[in-house]
Amino acid sequence: MNLKSSNSSFSAESIQKQGNGFLGVEWGTYIKAFFGGNAFVAMFVLALITLFLFKEGVGFFPQYRKDMELYRASGQEFVGLLKTELDDYDELQQQLGKVQVSILTDLYAEGKEWEEVTALTAPFQASLDQTSSAADPLRQVVKKAIDITSEAKEAVVVNNTRREITGVDLTTLMNEEQSAAFLKSSREQIIAMMPEIEAANDMFLENLLAAQEAMPELNLSPDAKKEMLIYEKGLKTFLDSMTKFDDKLAKYDPEKPFTFLQTLGGFLFGSQWTTNSSWQDFYGIWPLLSGSLLVTLVALSFAIPFGVFAAVYVNQVASSSEQNIIKPYIEFISAIPSVVIGFFGVAIFGTFIRTLSEQDFLAWVPFFPISERLNAYTAGCLLALMAVPTIFTLAEDALNNVPKAFTEASEAMGATRWQTIWRIQIPSSLSGIISAVLLGFGRVIGETMVVLLCAGNQIAVPELSKGLGIVFEPVHTMTGIIAQEMGEVVPGSIHYRALFCVGIFLFFLSLLINYIAQAIVRRYKISAG
Amino acid sequence: MSNESISVAAPQSTRPASDTSAAKTLIEVDNLDFYYGKKQALCDINLEIPEKLVTAFIGPSGCGKSTLLRCFNRMNDLVDVAHIGSGSIKIHGVDINSKNVDVIELRKRVGMVFQKSNPFPKSIYENITYGLKIRGIKKKSYLDEVVERSLRGAALWDEVKDRLHDSALGMSGGQQQRLCIARAIAVEPEIILMDEPCSALDPIATAQIEELIDELKTDFTIVIVTHNMQQATRVSDKTAFFYLGKLIEYDDTARLFSNPDNKQTEDYITGRFG
Ligand SMILES: Nc1ncnc2c1ncn2[C@@H]1O[C@H](COP(=O)(O)OP(=O)(O)OP(=O)(O)O)[C@@H](O)[C@H]1O
Ligand SMILES: [Mg+2]
């Protein structure tokens, strides 16, 4: 039997490279290219994303600046001041409305009939009407001013868009100079209205004070009194700001250029995020940023103690059978899809917290009962749930990495287990624990689904004056706003670019957190030699 | 082989031998059986360790030297499966395993130095004051005093007095081990247990530690585990030889090395096994 196959004999030919390959290139080269290519693609995509983010985002600033310049040049900014005054006044009226509701509720609770109630509250109702109509003269003037300026701006915007689209200076369209002149005429119209405005404003003040005088002496229940006090406080600040208003109006200079720094400041510190408004869009990140930070704060204030203490317990105290239960359990939490957690928050947890806050035995808590089911607290609690596994796992690793020799030495010195944990284990693993916490922070601030579902999505800067109750305010977040609005915006529009800028801001925030983390770790580094 | 036995047996150190017969017994081990789970690590140990002398434990690897040493400050409590089968260990006549003994207080009186130096990842100063701080002593002047006294006691003061607040991990291996000794003596124990304290050190650092042990014995009772016969003869007054969890022979060091009663002891110290 021939055991040797014919080509197994050693010859120059047999050891020559076989022509195995494709297009004259060996397979090995392809394989190498494949693996290298994957790494390259990953890096390339990352670079592309970063580049794209910046390319789309940076264009926001010149565009926003132009927009704000138009806002100023048309005189809208000036009218805006008046508009704010009226908006503030409306808010004040709403507070008075709450007083009314409170009074009515009390009366009906006493078992009185509708007619009797109407008769009883007639004087208050009258003064209510008087207060609300106090602003009417100013409202009329402002409405006129709004119409003039809005129309002028609208015309210029449409004109500019058409010029951009056609790309030619059609004679039917205004050029830059012409539109500037056009805006100026609108502005001047407003300035010409100045005496009229001032007179209206004075009358408003007069009416308001008169209405205040005419307010009947009321016999209020404690609840109603509380609302009334809020109203009176609000009225006082309003009257104060009204006197300052005159100064503001006098100082206003429509010719002042809108600088780039102002644009940047308007984005970073602007307290309004208003889009698709018939008046003027504002892109201030502050309400979103403060919302994100508030939610994160709530989440971390739960997740850090839970995560770290659970890690200490599992690592130091638990028996191995306890470890075998607790560890997989906590790690399992991270397997729950965030939408499910969000759904749980909407359907169960939010309602639960609100119902809890309405219980009588919790009435002593100053900000209870809460009015909104979905708020920063609800979202924060659920995000804490998501951050705990991250913090727990990493902190546990860090504790595990503390050499056993340290523990032994400490116990041999006569330290109790808790002293050893507190003085040796935790300090030795501090850098690991800090990085665990920061990764938890990153997890929370970048999380979208839960905040979108549970944070209440109200674009407003939470009011610090509420004290700790601030955490029960509905908020909107940076991630939430991107997810919510990105689908609807026109690519290339200023709104679209503003969302990208929010993305860039998130990007820089993560960078900053990372940097701080490393700095802290370097500063407190305890090498476990 | 026989000439080697002679060279080992000849006392290497020139220091005057302490009078071991007059010394009072400090640690008393009676019929001790010790287990790791089902596995017996020590059987029927009877041993009396005298006060203010150095006692050495020798024996082949795995014979239970460390286990017995760690019984004296109950470090075996940290091992889940470890437990005493029967017998007792008494210090000053008090059974240290009885229920009303506070292990924390026990460890304050029985310090320990480990094979691998293990200073805490803190400054030299904090390492020494650790034992005092966990007992709530905060007075700066007192701590300063203890630091100096302990470092001088461990023959380390001159080397580190200018960098007390540097990390202890920046020291050499020998310095770290002496720091661990200083840390142990800072709380003024009565007994210092040393488990192969020189096994990771070079000859010069070893000589320094041995010299130190010699000085320390005026104030402390020292029990040292060593694999080095010469070291045992140089530093100890009494020596115990263990084999397979049993105490084979226990005698004055000079006598045990020059004229062992037991064949196994002789075989071990002459290097025929181990
Ligand atoms: N934590 C433990 N769990 C189970 N068995 C152990 C444990 N520690 C030691 N042993 C066993 O107990 C016996 C005695 O160990 P011990 O460490 O006391 O020996 P040793 O004489 O110190 O040895 P060496 O000279 O190598 O340090 C050995 O058989 C060892 O395997
Ligand atoms: Mg040992």
Side-chain angles (χ1 to χ4, degrees):
Chain A
M1 212 206 271
N2 188 10
L3 289 172
K4 268 176 107 187
S5 76
S6 59
N7 60 357
S8 65
S9 67
F10 192 91
S11 68
E13 212 170 87
S14 71
I15 58 165
Q16 237 171 23
K17 274 187 180 175
Q18 300 286 300
N20 269 343
F22 185 65
L23 298 175
V25 182
E26 271 182 86
W27 286 121
T29 315
Y30 284 113
I31 293 169
K32 203 172 119 193
F34 174 72
F35 281 100
N38 277 318
F40 175 74
V41 166
M43 281 168 62
F44 182 71
V45 168
L46 185 69
L48 217 67
I49 290 174
T50 318
L51 213 77
F52 177 68
L53 199 64
F54 277 87
K55 182 186 145 279
E56 295 297 303
V58 163
F60 166 76
F61 291 101
Q63 219 168 331
Y64 191 36
R65 183 178 174 186
K66 229 185 215 160
D67 211 46
M68 291 309 283
E69 268 168 351
L70 257 181
Y71 179 60
R72 176 169 286 176
S74 65
Q76 263 189 324
E77 189 183 27
F78 175 68
V79 181
L81 292 175
L82 296 162
K83 205 167 160 293
T84 329
E85 191 186 50
L86 286 173
D87 287 348
D88 286 351
Y89 189 66
D90 285 344
E91 214 170 285
L92 201 61
Q93 288 301 298
Q94 276 175 17
Q95 184 56 41
L96 204 54
K98 279 190 195 166
V99 178
Q100 186 190 24
V101 169
S102 195
I103 291 173
L104 291 177
T105 323
D106 288 340
L107 290 177
Y108 283 120
E110 282 168 25
K112 296 205 163 71
E113 291 301 314
W114 180 77
E115 274 143 34
E116 199 181 347
V117 171
T118 318
L120 274 170
T121 54
F124 180 63
Q125 188 61 48
S127 104
L128 208 64
D129 294 343
Q130 195 185 353
T131 332
S132 110
S133 58
D136 284 354
L138 188 61
R139 278 209 183 94
Q140 277 162 17
V141 188
V142 171
K143 184 167 183 313
K144 210 162 93 190
I146 288 177
D147 288 348
I148 295 171
T149 50
S150 294
E151 243 165 61
K153 193 182 85 169
E154 199 56 35
V156 172
V157 168
V158 169
N159 177 73
N160 286 354
T161 321
R162 282 173 66 190
R163 222 174 55 199
E164 259 166 47
I165 292 168
T166 54
V168 246
D169 274 346
L170 293 177
T171 41
T172 49
L173 296 175
M174 296 184 283
N175 61 23
E176 301 236 345
E177 261 168 49
Q178 284 166 326
S179 48
F182 180 71
L183 287 171
K184 193 163 185 231
S185 74
S186 142
R187 210 160 61 213
E188 271 160 2
Q189 256 175 291
I190 300 296
I191 292 172
M193 278 169 72
M194 202 61 191
E196 201 181 334
I197 292 171
E198 264 170 18
N201 204 29
D202 288 347
M203 194 182 265
F204 174 30
L205 185 61
E206 220 168 275
N207 288 346
L208 186 54
L209 291 174
Q212 205 49 34
E213 286 282 292
M215 181 75 79
E217 201 53 47
L218 290 166
N219 188 11
L220 296 171
S221 73
D223 270 354
K225 207 169 245 160
K226 217 165 86 190
E227 299 291 357
M228 194 64 180
L229 273 176
I230 299 178
Y231 170 74
E232 276 164 3
K233 225 172 108 194
L235 182 69
K236 201 167 163 300
T237 31
F238 182 75
L239 286 172
D240 282 352
S241 74
M242 225 174 141
T243 39
K244 280 181 210 134
F245 238 87
D246 293 339
D247 290 352
K248 256 191 190 164
L249 295 186
K251 271 190 209 131
Y252 177 73
D253 175 14
E255 312 272 344
K256 218 166 74 187
F258 204 83
T259 65
F260 182 75
L261 266 182
Q262 271 174 310
T263 321
L264 192 66
F267 174 70
L268 291 178
F269 307 110
S271 60
Q272 279 188 67
W273 179 277
T274 320
T275 55
N276 300 327
S277 148
S278 57
W279 172 248
Q280 166 70 23
D281 290 352
F282 292 101
Y283 300 98
I285 200 175
W286 183 233
L288 310 172
L289 176 63
S290 57
S292 281
L293 290 180
L294 191 63
V295 171
T296 308
L297 205 75
V298 173
L300 288 185
S301 64
F302 285 107
I304 293 174
F306 273 98
V308 173
F309 294 156
V312 168
Y313 181 78
V314 165
N315 191 270
Q316 299 292 321
V317 188
S319 65
S320 58
S321 59
E322 277 181 302
Q323 281 185 4
N324 288 341
I325 298 173
I326 300 174
K327 266 171 92 163
Y329 240 93
I330 294 184
E331 274 150 21
F332 175 74
I333 298 174
S334 59
I336 307 174
S338 60
V339 68
V340 174
I341 292 186
F343 184 68
F344 170 78
V346 173
I348 299 169
F349 188 70
T351 319
F352 169 73
I353 290 290
R354 189 170 61 180
T355 317
L356 190 71
S357 78
E358 283 160 358
Q359 301 307 310
D360 286 338
F361 66 94
L362 284 174
W364 53 272
V365 182
F367 34 85
F368 277 5
I370 57 175
S371 51
E372 295 297 331
R373 190 165 58 97
L374 302 179
N375 53 45
Y377 184 82
T378 309
C381 285
L382 294 163
L383 283 177
L385 191 68
M386 302 183 71
V388 162
T390 311
I391 296 179
F392 168 80
T393 310
L394 289 163
E396 217 259 332
D397 274 357
L399 283 166
N400 241 343
N401 286 337
V402 176
K404 208 158 176 286
F406 292 166
T407 326
E408 271 202 328
S410 171
E411 301 225 2
M413 296 294 298
T416 62
R417 169 166 277 169
W418 295 112
Q419 282 173 327
T420 306
I421 290 171
W422 186 244
R423 289 168 183 265
I424 302 295
Q425 309 267 359
I426 292 184
S428 306
S429 53
L430 195 64
S431 54
I433 292 178
I434 290 175
S435 67
V437 166
L438 285 159
L439 276 174
F441 185 104
R443 178 100 172 78
V444 170
I445 203 144
E447 167 55 41
T448 310
M449 194 43 100
V450 169
V451 289
L452 200 58
L453 289 173
C454 302
N457 297 353
Q458 176 184 302
I459 307 176
V461 182
E463 283 170 47
L464 268 179
S465 63
K466 295 213 165 133
L468 258 186
I470 194 176
V471 300
F472 293 103
E473 298 254 290
V475 294
H476 216 314
T477 55
M478 296 189 288
T479 47
I481 204 96
I482 296 176
Q484 191 181 26
E485 295 183 346
M486 196 47 109
E488 304 162 2
V489 295
V490 183
S493 68
I494 178 168
H495 187 180
Y496 168 88
R497 294 193 194 286
L499 291 176
F500 268 90
C501 272
V502 176
I504 294 174
F505 189 86
L506 260 171
F507 183 84
F508 274 119
L509 194 67
S510 322
L511 225 61
L512 183 76
I513 291 162
N514 248 319
Y515 175 78
I516 295 172
Q518 280 174 8
I520 292 174
V521 170
R522 234 180 291 127
R523 168 83 177 69
Y524 294 102
K525 190 171 171 115
I526 301 172
S527 74
Chain B
M1 289 289 170
S2 59
N3 54 353
E4 197 184 321
S5 126
I6 291 161
S7 75
V8 172
Q12 304 243 326
S13 116
T14 50
R15 69 189 173 76
S18 310
D19 183 5
T20 59
S21 54
K24 200 173 120 215
T25 297
L26 180 62
I27 308 175
E28 204 181 330
V29 184
D30 289 320
N31 304 322
L32 183 74
D33 284 335
F34 191 90
Y35 297 85
Y36 287 109
K38 288 204 173 63
K39 187 174 163 268
Q40 186 160 14
L42 295 173
C43 38
D44 199 28
I45 306 287
N46 285 287
L47 187 73
E48 291 182 353
I49 292 174
E51 196 170 31
K52 303 237 166 118
L53 289 178
V54 179
T55 303
F57 288 179
I58 61 170
S61 190
C63 68
K65 308 178 297 289
S66 300
T67 303
L68 181 59
L69 196 73
R70 290 161 65 95
C71 281
F72 296 157
N73 64 348
R74 285 179 50 184
M75 281 302 276
N76 288 321
D77 290 8
L78 301 186
V79 182
D80 286 336
V81 293
H83 62 98
I84 286 176
S86 64
S88 67
I89 299 165
K90 292 183 182 135
I91 296 179
H92 282 304
V94 178
D95 184 351
I96 60 169
N97 288 299
S98 88
K99 285 227 157 56
N100 46 21
V101 165
D102 183 358
V103 66
I104 305 299
E105 284 304 310
L106 171 71
R107 288 183 187 151
K108 188 190 165 187
R109 295 194 169 85
V110 186
M112 189 163 204
V113 176
F114 295 81
Q115 172 171 8
K116 193 173 170 293
S117 63
N118 53 0
F120 299 125
K122 296 168 180 275
S123 72
I124 295 172
Y125 187 94
E126 285 172 353
N127 261 282
I128 307 249
T129 54
Y130 184 78
L132 300 170
K133 283 204 178 140
I134 56 177
R135 291 182 174 82
I137 297 166
K138 293 204 191 82
K139 210 170 137 212
K140 178 92 170 49
S141 58
Y142 179 67
L143 294 179
D144 286 348
E145 189 191 311
V146 170
V147 168
E148 180 168 351
R149 172 157 41 81
S150 313
L151 284 171
R152 280 191 195 285
L156 199 58
W157 176 253
D158 293 327
E159 287 163 64
V160 300
K161 63 170 184 254
D162 301 321
R163 51 185 183 115
L164 289 177
H165 296 283
D166 291 1
S167 168
L169 299 176
M171 303 165 86
S172 76
Q175 286 175 326
Q176 287 191 9
Q177 194 61 299
R178 276 180 285 151
L179 179 68
C180 291
I181 295 176
R183 183 175 67 184
I185 63 181
V187 293
E188 301 178 46
E190 282 181 59
I191 303 166
I192 301 176
L193 309 172
M194 298 185 177
D195 195 349
E196 303 182 42
C198 303
S199 65
L201 302 180
D202 65 37
I204 293 173
T206 303
Q208 283 173 327
I209 303 255
E210 286 178 7
E211 216 172 285
L212 180 59
I213 291 172
D214 217 42
E215 282 163 22
L216 290 175
K217 89 180 195 190
T218 49
D219 297 314
F220 307 99
T221 303
I222 295 170
V223 185
I224 179 170
V225 171
T226 177
H227 273 283
N228 181 329
M229 299 306 130
Q230 279 87 349
Q231 185 170 61
T233 58
R234 280 194 300 261
V235 302
S236 72
D237 303 296
K238 298 203 77 158
T239 300
F241 170 64
F242 294 86
Y243 184 55
L244 296 178
K246 293 196 182 75
L247 174 61
I248 304 296
E249 189 166 352
Y250 178 48
D251 212 332
D252 289 354
T253 300
R255 204 178 119 71
L256 187 125
F257 277 92
S258 60
N259 190 10
D261 286 338
N262 192 293
K263 180 77 174 59
Q264 281 169 324
T265 316
E266 187 176 347
D267 285 352
Y268 181 69
I269 60 182
T270 53
R272 247 167 266 167
F273 74 87

